Amino acid sequence: MADDITADILIIGTGVAGAIAGSKLAEKGLSVAFLETGKRIDRFDAVDKFWNAAIKVPESAYPNDDTAPHPLSHKIEDYYQQKGPELFRSTYVKVVGGTTWHWLGTTLRNVPSDFKTQSLYGQAVDWPIDYDDLEPFYLAAEQEIGVAGNSSIDLGSPRSGDYPMGEIPMSYLDKKFAAALEESKFEVRATPQGRNSTFHADRPECCGNASCIPVCPIQAKYDATVHVAQAEAAGATVYDQTTATKLNLGQDGKIISVDFRRADGSTGIASGKVFVVAAHGIETPRLLLNSAQEGAENGIANSSDQVGRNLMDHPSRLSWAEAAEPVWPYRGPLSTSGIENLRDGDFRKNHAAFRIEIGNDGHSWPTGAPQSTVEDLAKQGLRGDELDAAIKDKTSRHIRLASLVEQSPDAKNRVTLDPEKRDANGMPLPVINYDYSDYTRAGLKAAEEAHDEVFEMLGAKNVQHSPDIQGAGHIIGTVRMGSNPQVSVVDADLRSFDHSNLFLLGSGVFPTSATANPTLTIAALSLRAVDPIASSVE
Ligand SMILES: Cc1cc2nc3c(=O)[nH]c(=O)nc-3n(C[C@H](O)[C@H](O)[C@H](O)COP(=O)(O)OP(=O)(O)OC[C@H]3O[C@@H](n4cnc5c(N)ncnc54)[C@H](O)[C@@H]3O)c2cc1C
Ligand code: SF4
């Protein structure tokens, strides 16, 4: 076909995982093409769409087109075919730049023990690399994303250099937490974040609009369009609204091409020398499994039968309360501090670790406040000045915590394909089986107890814990890396054990979830894979 695509390196997905690697590969002078199922987004349209949306969920700024369908937080079962016993609640979007459009921006590193929990604590599995292997790439990823942080604070992850920018200031609320917890085991620390604390990389500093999820109106918060633009400036081509539907195998066990379908219904074939799938934790296994063919009867890269397995998240314990005195939430980035010193210790032999995120967003996540507060008070019969004073008093004291808990890898937690239901591209919808281990549930319980202690030290009242376990938006596992091809999908360079010219990028390759929000580790691993990918182009 005249309009088929050819490049040395074909990258599927323009999220941070694909874009950051693609930009570096293009800058090396290699020919790079991206296939991206989603549209390009105009930032002002996205802001407008969000403000006008009747239901404000993380995805409400972004299109959910028939040919680039993604899960929606408030209708999660429309897309995921959930087989239980628990609901998988985390989502993503399909647009040029991917899910960093609506991420929060927390950019913590893993701690060294996270890479060897089996050796140290007899739990889960060890990674095929350790912290020291990744440290230079963490440092480089912080520069690429533009992380604001306090380099002198020990967050349990040794650093060989400084963050590119100083920290985003702690909020007034953070400082109240820090003061109340000063003599306790809970250490309140400023969170490193992918948002500018000063004019940096041609983008402005954060001005506290507080709409980081779902969209930063001024791009103070990093999103992967930064690296999409860098890749294009270096000569890469982005084919948007173009969905990869099947990877094709050659005689020699290498991938030779990708079938794609455009939003207008036309189809084509993209050929290249090296193929990189960076479509995120659900869509990467979906594509690999949908590529079953002669020579790869269980799907591409799946001789181990591990593709789609070990799906994880950071199941979150969400709690909220009313502080004894005003702490003035609902301002600034949605979280600027956290408690990071509970992420490692001998207790990991018995229960999962967790980190506690301190919210600046009052009760909006659990209850839809402040609107719901107004409704509640009005229903109590308050009107006029009395109502006004009560709204001010209540909302000024809203506090919330969310603990992100480590989830055990479990082969039964998996993504498979629906035999009947297909999307507009003809691809089967993802089926999800999902549950939490006793180890993870014990971590959730420990987190709830920690929240109670923290609230008590603050003298807070009306403490509530969400009855449901929340998703964190962190889609981890499904194509894990390892040193044993029998039980893993890619090696330490993220190269498929089955197909030497196929690489998989993203949090799907994490063997364990650890407790750090995943994106900095995704970026570091992508940077680490650049040289192996480049040297595979013959
Ligand atoms: C509400 C929310 C808040 C979050 N906050 C944080 C945070 O504070 N810190 C943190 O570390 N992480 C956070 N995350 C997670 C973070 O957003 C993701 O880890 C990260 O964006 C994943 O990047 P990726 O490139 O792997 O995937 P994506 O960004 O999802 O990119 C995958 C790309 O592949 C495309 N694609 C998929 N299938 C196909 C196909 N068949 N053909 C062509 N293209 C395809 C998609 O359209 C998409 O553009 C958050 C997530 C959510 C939902
Ligand atoms: S607080 Fe506002 S300016 Fe800062 S990152 Fe969030 S949305 Fe952007």
Side-chain angles (χ1 to χ4, degrees):
M1 244 193 263
D3 58 353
D4 282 352
I5 296 167
T6 311
D8 284 347
I9 304 169
L10 262 306
I11 301 183
I12 295 157
T14 59
V16 57
I20 212 163
S23 66
K24 298 295 145 201
L25 290 160
E27 281 162 14
K28 282 178 182 284
L30 293 160
S31 106
V32 175
F34 291 90
L35 302 188
E36 167 55 57
T37 183
K39 284 180 175 154
R40 290 188 190 259
I41 296 295
D42 177 273
R43 189 170 301 274
F44 296 105
D45 285 351
V47 173
D48 215 41
K49 208 161 172 247
F50 170 56
W51 286 121
N52 289 321
I55 298 173
K56 297 205 189 324
V57 290
E59 306 81 33
S60 53
Y62 307 103
N64 193 5
D65 294 326
D66 282 355
T67 53
H70 54 74
L72 298 169
S73 303
H74 60 302
K75 295 194 228 167
I76 201 86
E77 286 164 283
D78 283 6
Y79 187 69
Y80 296 143
Q81 306 303 295
Q82 307 256 11
K83 297 291 181 206
E86 292 284 345
L87 277 189
F88 185 73
R89 293 174 193 271
S90 281
T91 63
Y92 49 97
V93 290
K94 289 187 185 165
V95 294
V96 172
T99 306
T100 48
W101 268 96
H102 73 344
W103 75 322
L104 173 56
T106 302
T107 44
L108 286 158
R109 299 174 174 201
N110 283 359
V111 297
S113 308
D114 290 333
F115 296 86
K116 40 188 179 190
T117 51
Q118 177 54 237
S119 306
L120 291 173
Y121 306 121
Q123 294 292 342
V125 288
D126 290 351
W127 291 44
I129 55 172
D130 63 24
Y131 182 82
D132 290 343
D133 293 321
L134 208 51
E135 202 284 333
F137 299 98
Y138 269 137
L139 197 66
E142 287 162 353
Q143 299 294 327
E144 291 293 334
I145 288 176
V147 175
N150 184 334
S151 309
S152 60
I153 289 182
D154 178 8
L155 295 174
S157 312
R159 317 180 47 77
S160 61
D162 289 345
Y163 296 106
M165 278 169 284
E167 73 196 73
I168 299 277
M170 288 170 107
S171 65
Y172 179 78
L173 179 153
D174 292 335
K175 289 178 186 159
K176 286 284 183 189
F177 270 80
L181 303 178
E182 203 169 63
E183 299 298 322
S184 77
K185 65 179 179 196
F186 302 107
E187 296 172 8
V188 177
R189 297 286 180 261
T191 307
Q193 308 167 46
R195 56 171 55 71
N196 284 355
S197 60
T198 178
F199 187 89
H200 176 80
D202 286 336
R203 293 187 285 116
E205 69 239 50
C206 170
C207 64
N209 289 312
S211 67
C212 328
I213 299 175
V215 59
C216 175
I218 59 169
Q219 212 186 12
K221 183 189 73 170
Y222 169 86
D223 61 71
T225 59
V226 165
H227 283 101
V228 172
Q230 284 180 24
E232 288 183 303
T237 312
V238 175
Y239 296 92
D240 60 330
Q241 295 191 270
T242 304
T243 307
T245 54
K246 188 179 171 210
L247 296 165
N248 299 306
L249 203 54
Q251 299 282 339
D252 55 1
K254 288 187 172 182
I255 307 299
I256 48 166
S257 64
V258 187
D259 293 349
F260 63 80
R261 183 181 184 280
R262 298 186 191 85
D264 65 7
S266 61
T267 56
I269 295 177
S271 330
K273 295 177 179 165
V274 181
F275 295 79
V276 176
V277 183
H280 207 7
I282 304 289
E283 300 296 330
T284 290
R286 185 177 177 223
L287 175 61
L288 297 176
L289 293 172
N290 196 45
S291 303
Q293 58 201 276
E294 195 181 333
E297 282 73 10
N298 290 332
I300 287 292
N302 199 20
S303 64
S304 61
D305 188 31
Q306 291 296 307
V307 169
R309 294 187 184 272
N310 302 299
L311 174 66
M312 292 169 272
D313 192 350
H314 289 130
S316 301
R317 178 51 75 215
L318 176 64
S319 308
W320 60 104
E322 285 167 15
E325 52 181 270
V327 291
W328 306 113
Y330 301 105
R331 299 179 301 168
L334 305 179
S335 172
T336 35
S337 292
I339 297 167
E340 313 299 348
N341 63 311
L342 308 172
R343 293 170 57 202
D344 192 29
D346 221 36
F347 67 83
R348 285 174 98 178
K349 288 179 181 154
N350 306 315
H351 71 74
F354 55 95
R355 68 170 292 257
I356 306 180
E357 177 190 89
I358 299 171
N360 288 325
D361 53 351
H363 290 182
S364 49
W365 179 5
T367 72
Q371 288 87 335
S372 58
T373 317
V374 179
E375 260 175 58
D376 290 348
L377 293 168
K379 277 188 196 146
Q380 289 168 27
L382 298 182
R383 295 289 184 271
D385 288 349
E386 217 185 352
L387 175 62
D388 202 38
I391 294 169
K392 197 181 277 176
D393 173 57
K394 282 273 179 200
T395 54
S396 69
R397 294 186 292 111
H398 282 174
I399 48 177
R400 74 103 180 134
L401 299 172
S403 276
L404 279 62
V405 178
E406 186 182 21
Q407 180 169 16
S408 322
D410 177 347
K412 292 195 292 303
N413 289 345
R414 66 186 297 201
V415 178
T416 51
L417 303 181
D418 193 290
E420 278 150 24
K421 292 189 187 155
R422 289 175 186 265
D423 67 16
N425 297 312
M427 291 186 74
L429 288 182
V431 174
I432 298 201
N433 289 77
Y434 193 60
D435 200 0
Y436 306 110
S437 67
D438 290 346
Y439 181 78
T440 300
R441 287 184 193 277
L444 283 156
K445 186 160 181 294
E448 184 171 321
E449 286 162 7
H451 293 183
D452 283 335
E453 281 184 67
V454 169
F455 286 142
E456 195 177 330
M457 280 182 253
L458 275 141
K461 298 274 178 301
N462 296 332
V463 173
Q464 297 188 61
H465 304 290
S466 169
D468 298 323
I469 301 167
Q470 306 290 317
H474 302 167
I475 303 173
I476 300 174
T478 68
V479 287
R480 70 177 173 187
M481 68 161 117
S483 23
N484 180 354
Q486 309 279 308
V487 288
S488 37
V489 179
V490 292
D491 66 14
D493 288 339
L494 311 188
R495 186 196 302 265
S496 154
F497 283 114
D498 295 351
H499 316 288
S500 61
N501 66 339
L502 174 67
F503 290 80
L504 308 180
L505 304 182
S507 41
V509 304
F510 295 8
T512 62
S513 73
T515 53
N517 312 50
T519 306
L520 187 73
T521 304
I522 295 175
L525 287 170
S526 284
L527 289 170
R528 190 170 179 273
V530 165
D531 281 345
I533 295 171
S535 55
S536 303
V537 178
E538 290 154 6

